[in-house]
Short mmCIF file of all heavy atoms in Angstrom, two decimals:
data_model
loop_
_atom_site.label_atom_id
_atom_site.label_comp_id
_atom_site.label_asym_id
_atom_site.label_seq_id
_atom_site.Cartn_x
_atom_site.Cartn_y
_atom_site.Cartn_z
N SER A 194 89.34 93.81 95.16
CA SER A 194 88.76 94.72 96.12
C SER A 194 89.66 95.93 96.44
O SER A 194 89.38 96.62 97.39
CB SER A 194 88.46 93.91 97.41
OG SER A 194 89.62 93.37 97.96
N SER A 195 90.74 96.05 95.66
CA SER A 195 91.74 97.09 95.97
C SER A 195 91.18 98.47 95.71
O SER A 195 90.15 98.71 94.98
CB SER A 195 93.00 96.90 95.10
OG SER A 195 92.71 97.22 93.76
N ASP A 196 91.82 99.47 96.23
CA ASP A 196 91.46 100.85 96.05
C ASP A 196 91.43 101.24 94.53
O ASP A 196 90.59 102.00 94.07
CB ASP A 196 92.44 101.81 96.79
CG ASP A 196 92.33 101.64 98.26
OD1 ASP A 196 91.32 101.15 98.78
OD2 ASP A 196 93.30 102.03 98.99
N ALA A 197 92.42 100.66 93.78
CA ALA A 197 92.55 101.03 92.34
C ALA A 197 91.35 100.44 91.57
O ALA A 197 90.80 101.12 90.72
CB ALA A 197 93.85 100.54 91.77
N GLU A 198 90.95 99.26 91.89
CA GLU A 198 89.80 98.63 91.17
C GLU A 198 88.55 99.43 91.52
O GLU A 198 87.65 99.68 90.65
CB GLU A 198 89.64 97.18 91.59
CG GLU A 198 90.82 96.27 91.13
CD GLU A 198 90.84 96.10 89.63
OE1 GLU A 198 89.78 96.31 88.95
OE2 GLU A 198 91.90 95.77 89.09
N LYS A 199 88.39 99.86 92.74
CA LYS A 199 87.20 100.66 93.12
C LYS A 199 87.27 102.01 92.45
O LYS A 199 86.21 102.54 92.01
CB LYS A 199 87.17 100.85 94.65
CG LYS A 199 86.90 99.55 95.45
CD LYS A 199 86.94 99.80 96.93
CE LYS A 199 86.80 98.48 97.70
NZ LYS A 199 86.88 98.71 99.20
N PHE A 200 88.49 102.59 92.35
CA PHE A 200 88.63 103.85 91.70
C PHE A 200 88.27 103.78 90.22
O PHE A 200 87.72 104.71 89.64
CB PHE A 200 90.06 104.39 91.91
CG PHE A 200 90.23 105.78 91.51
CD1 PHE A 200 89.77 106.82 92.36
CD2 PHE A 200 90.94 106.15 90.37
CE1 PHE A 200 89.96 108.16 91.98
CE2 PHE A 200 91.14 107.52 90.00
CZ PHE A 200 90.69 108.51 90.84
N ALA A 201 88.62 102.62 89.58
CA ALA A 201 88.34 102.45 88.15
C ALA A 201 86.84 102.37 87.88
O ALA A 201 86.40 102.65 86.79
CB ALA A 201 89.02 101.13 87.70
N GLU A 202 86.09 101.94 88.87
CA GLU A 202 84.60 101.94 88.75
C GLU A 202 84.03 103.29 88.67
O GLU A 202 83.06 103.48 87.90
CB GLU A 202 84.02 101.10 89.92
CG GLU A 202 84.40 99.64 89.94
CD GLU A 202 83.83 98.91 91.16
OE1 GLU A 202 83.12 99.62 91.94
OE2 GLU A 202 84.13 97.76 91.30
N ILE A 203 84.60 104.21 89.41
CA ILE A 203 84.06 105.58 89.35
C ILE A 203 84.77 106.48 88.40
O ILE A 203 84.33 107.61 88.02
CB ILE A 203 84.03 106.26 90.78
CG1 ILE A 203 85.46 106.36 91.34
CG2 ILE A 203 83.16 105.42 91.69
CD1 ILE A 203 85.54 107.05 92.70
N CYS A 204 85.95 106.04 87.91
CA CYS A 204 86.75 106.81 86.93
C CYS A 204 87.22 105.79 85.90
O CYS A 204 88.42 105.43 85.92
CB CYS A 204 87.88 107.58 87.63
SG CYS A 204 88.68 108.75 86.56
N PRO A 205 86.34 105.39 84.98
CA PRO A 205 86.66 104.23 84.10
C PRO A 205 87.54 104.55 82.93
O PRO A 205 87.66 103.75 82.01
CB PRO A 205 85.25 103.82 83.64
CG PRO A 205 84.40 105.06 83.65
CD PRO A 205 84.95 105.87 84.92
N CYS A 206 88.16 105.73 82.91
CA CYS A 206 89.06 106.04 81.84
C CYS A 206 90.35 105.10 81.83
O CYS A 206 91.06 105.01 80.87
CB CYS A 206 89.47 107.51 81.81
SG CYS A 206 90.26 108.05 83.35
N CYS A 207 90.58 104.47 83.00
CA CYS A 207 91.70 103.55 83.15
C CYS A 207 91.20 102.33 83.86
O CYS A 207 90.22 102.42 84.66
CB CYS A 207 92.85 104.18 83.93
SG CYS A 207 94.07 105.05 82.99
N THR A 208 91.79 101.17 83.63
CA THR A 208 91.54 99.96 84.44
C THR A 208 92.18 100.13 85.80
O THR A 208 92.94 101.02 86.08
CB THR A 208 92.03 98.73 83.73
OG1 THR A 208 93.49 98.82 83.70
CG2 THR A 208 91.53 98.57 82.37
N GLY A 209 91.84 99.20 86.67
CA GLY A 209 92.44 99.20 87.98
C GLY A 209 93.99 99.04 87.90
O GLY A 209 94.73 99.71 88.59
#
Side-chain angles (χ1 to χ4, degrees):
S194 60
S195 72
D196 296 338
E198 293 293 339
K199 294 176 182 176
F200 192 73
E202 293 176 4
I203 60 175
C204 192
C206 58
C207 272
T208 64

